[in-house]
């Protein structure tokens, strides 16, 4: 997958960071850029979670017809999975925001190299560089298969 921000379906909109020549990696401007992206993303996800909860509550009041129950239960479990996914993502976003505060953001947690602005824009919660991520995925596949 090319390192392009538009490939991230989760992030609806942001302006890519304008990297100047010789600019220091993860300077204040860059950190602020990612802080804003993460905060906006979190906001969108939290609104999404609210909508899911609301929808579940509305459905729960509507159990009159037993014939609809199976369909409703399917919808429920689908929505609960979505909500679980959103919660996990919000947790990752919080961790990334914490990393920004701690000054750890943007560096591979495995090998310590710079993850890179464009990769982070495509995946603001990334904690591994491309190489380490690829290795981790290969290992995961080997264990999984
Ligand atoms: Zn690495």
């Amino acid at each position: 997958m090319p390192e392009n921000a538009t490939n991230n379906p989760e992030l609806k909109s942001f302006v890519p960071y304008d990297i100047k020549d010789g600019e220091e990696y993860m300077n204040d401007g860059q950190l602020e850029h990612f802080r804003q992206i993460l905060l906006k993303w979190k906001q969108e996800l939290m609104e999404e979670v609210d909508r899911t909860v609301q929808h579940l509550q509305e459905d729960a009041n509507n159990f009159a017809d037993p014939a609809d129950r199976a369909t409703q239960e399917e919808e429920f479990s689908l929505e609960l999975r979505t909500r679980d996914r959103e919660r996990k993502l919000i947790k990752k976003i919080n961790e990334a925001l914490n990393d920004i505060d701690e000054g750890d953001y943007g560096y591979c947690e495995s090998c310590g190299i710079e993850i890179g602005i464009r990769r982070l824009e495509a995946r603001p919660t990334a904690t591994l560089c491309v190489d380490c991520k690829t290795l981790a995925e290969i290992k995961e596949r080997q264990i999984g298969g």
Side-chain angles (χ1 to χ4, degrees), residues 5-6 14-19 33 37 117-118 121:
T6 55
F14 72 92
V15 181
Y17 189 82
D18 180 21
I19 307 169
H33 173 68
I37 289 177
I117 300 295
R118 296 307 172 221
E121 281 181 334

Side-chain angles (χ1 to χ4, degrees), residues 108-113 128-133:
C108 175
E109 69 178 17
S110 176
C111 72
I113 70 159
L128 294 171
C129 68
V130 179
D131 290 346
C132 291
K133 178 71 183 167

Side-chain angles (χ1 to χ4, degrees), residues 85-101:
R85 207 184 119 267
E86 288 164 348
R87 279 219 174 119
K88 280 182 185 145
L89 205 45
I90 289 172
K91 187 167 167 276
K92 276 189 168 181
I93 291 172
N94 283 335
E95 284 164 5
L97 285 166
N98 192 48
D99 281 350
I100 289 180
D101 290 339

